[in-house]
Amino acid sequence: MNVLKVPARTIAVFVLPCLLLYTCMVFVPILVSVYCGLLDWNGIAEAKFVGLANFKRIFTADPVFWPSVKRTMMFAVFSMLEIPFCLLLAILLNRYVRKANTLVTMYFLPVILSVVIIGQLWKTIYNPASMGGMLNGILMAVGLESWTRSWLTEPQIAMYALYFVSLWQYFGYHLLIQFTGVQNIPNELYEAAKIDGAEGFKADRYITLPLIVPIFKISIVLAFIGSLQSFDLIWVMTGGGPAHATDTVSTYMYNMSFLSMKYGYGSALASFLVVICLSFTIVINFVFKRIENKVS
């Protein structure tokens, strides 16, 4: 069989435009953000070079930063916890439900809605009963008045209310990914396993789970990185309040850059966020590579 050898120069000609575009759209903004993080600048007036002062202040003298990092990491953890449930539901749908594609499509509907619509919808649900809030209204109707809360204005519970909305919004997204992965596993493997006496969840243990690892990794990476960058839903529902109780690194960065007019400080926060995203992506890929080697 003859294999067509493409000259390296030809490959470079086709790759170079995309590489240049990617560099301009990704790496250049990152470098500009890092440089701006070295400045004392409000985005308009003349900038003053302050070196690593912004980064030093972030790590040592900012009372809002570390709590926002904690909330960001909790956001990521909660987002990843739903993926095993999505995989379990995908397996059950694929095995026991006829026309499961229709049901998966229904689960996917919240994903295609605008974040602004979702935010406004859940703000209405979380409103106090006196303002027509559905959740508090239901709790009062079933005699659980003591459970009613100002869900988005109490600092202790506001972030958990946002976690739930995010899980609700992206459950169908991860379910679709896992369901597609399960469907792509050849039925011949299950039929051969059934002959050997392995079926049901026993077959899933030795067939489905090892083969679904690459798809599972995709969901984990998307959930984790998306959560680290969480901004739009939080901004629509709480704006980072009350009293920074729902600020993540992204919302705090926006607040510093465009509301407080501390563009240099906001750029330093953005640089930190980029480093965190890249670092955890590398760690997750490394962990799953070892898992794939063990199950292969």
Side-chain angles (χ1 to χ4, degrees):
M1 180 178 179
N2 295 325
V3 179
L4 180 61
K5 293 184 178 180
V6 181
R9 183 176 298 180
T10 303
I11 296 175
V13 168
F14 284 98
V15 171
L16 187 59
C18 294
L19 182 61
L20 290 175
L21 180 62
Y22 186 79
T23 301
C24 293
M25 298 298 293
V26 177
F27 290 106
V28 172
I30 291 175
L31 294 176
V32 171
S33 180
V34 172
Y35 172 72
C36 291
L38 304 175
L39 306 176
D40 180 9
W41 187 33
N42 62 6
I44 300 175
E46 183 178 355
K48 178 183 178 182
F49 185 81
V50 293
L52 298 176
N54 287 328
F55 294 93
K56 182 179 179 181
R57 179 187 168 194
I58 286 175
F59 294 114
T60 61
D62 191 335
V64 178
F65 173 70
W66 287 114
S68 71
V69 172
K70 179 182 177 181
R71 285 187 288 269
T72 302
M73 299 305 297
M74 288 292 294
F75 216 120
V77 169
F78 273 93
S79 297
M80 291 189 296
L81 286 179
E82 72 175 340
I83 298 177
F85 294 100
C86 292
L87 176 57
L88 176 61
L89 182 57
I91 293 173
L92 296 176
L93 289 174
N94 184 63
R95 180 173 299 155
Y96 298 113
V97 179
R98 293 182 178 181
K99 297 183 179 179
N101 290 330
T102 303
L103 192 58
V104 173
T105 302
M106 294 176 62
Y107 279 115
F108 191 76
L109 287 177
V111 181
I112 65 177
L113 293 178
S114 166
V115 176
V116 176
I117 294 176
I118 290 175
Q120 293 298 329
L121 169 67
W122 279 93
K123 280 180 69 175
T124 303
I125 292 174
Y126 283 141
N127 273 340
S130 59
M131 299 177 60
M134 186 179 73
L135 179 56
N136 283 334
I138 292 174
L139 292 174
M140 294 177 66
V142 297
L144 297 174
E145 291 89 350
S146 61
W147 289 23
T148 59
R149 294 287 187 275
S150 297
W151 300 99
L152 297 179
T153 57
E154 292 187 22
Q156 295 79 9
I157 62 174
M159 200 68 207
Y160 292 97
L162 294 177
Y163 293 151
F164 181 82
V165 178
S166 181
L167 293 177
W168 174 83
Q169 180 184 6
Y170 288 104
F171 184 85
Y173 179 73
H174 296 294
L175 175 62
L176 177 62
I177 294 175
Q178 302 305 312
F179 182 74
T180 304
V182 171
Q183 279 194 320
N184 286 333
I185 298 176
N187 288 327
E188 292 80 3
L189 296 177
Y190 294 105
E191 293 171 359
K194 187 175 182 179
I195 295 174
D196 293 332
E199 57 182 328
F201 288 107
K202 189 175 182 180
D204 291 327
R205 178 183 176 185
Y206 294 104
I207 297 175
T208 307
L209 295 183
L211 294 178
I212 206 70
V213 168
I215 306 299
F216 195 83
K217 181 186 74 172
I218 292 173
S219 281
I220 290 290
V221 172
L222 292 176
F224 196 89
I225 301 304
S227 299
L228 291 180
Q229 300 172 348
S230 55
F231 170 79
D232 43 10
L233 181 67
I234 298 172
W235 197 256
V236 169
M237 294 188 67
T238 64
H244 297 290
T246 58
D247 255 333
T248 59
V249 176
S250 295
T251 57
Y252 186 47
M253 174 193 68
Y254 180 87
N255 200 334
M256 288 291 100
S257 299
F258 302 108
L259 299 184
S260 299
M261 299 300 290
K262 298 178 181 179
Y263 193 80
Y265 193 73
S267 296
L269 290 167
S271 301
F272 170 81
L273 187 59
V274 169
V275 171
I276 290 296
C277 290
L278 291 176
S279 300
F280 277 97
T281 301
I282 293 172
V283 170
I284 291 172
N285 280 302
F286 175 77
V287 170
F288 273 93
K289 186 176 180 179
R290 298 194 64 178
I291 295 175
E292 290 172 8
N293 291 336
K294 288 183 178 180
V295 300
S296 59

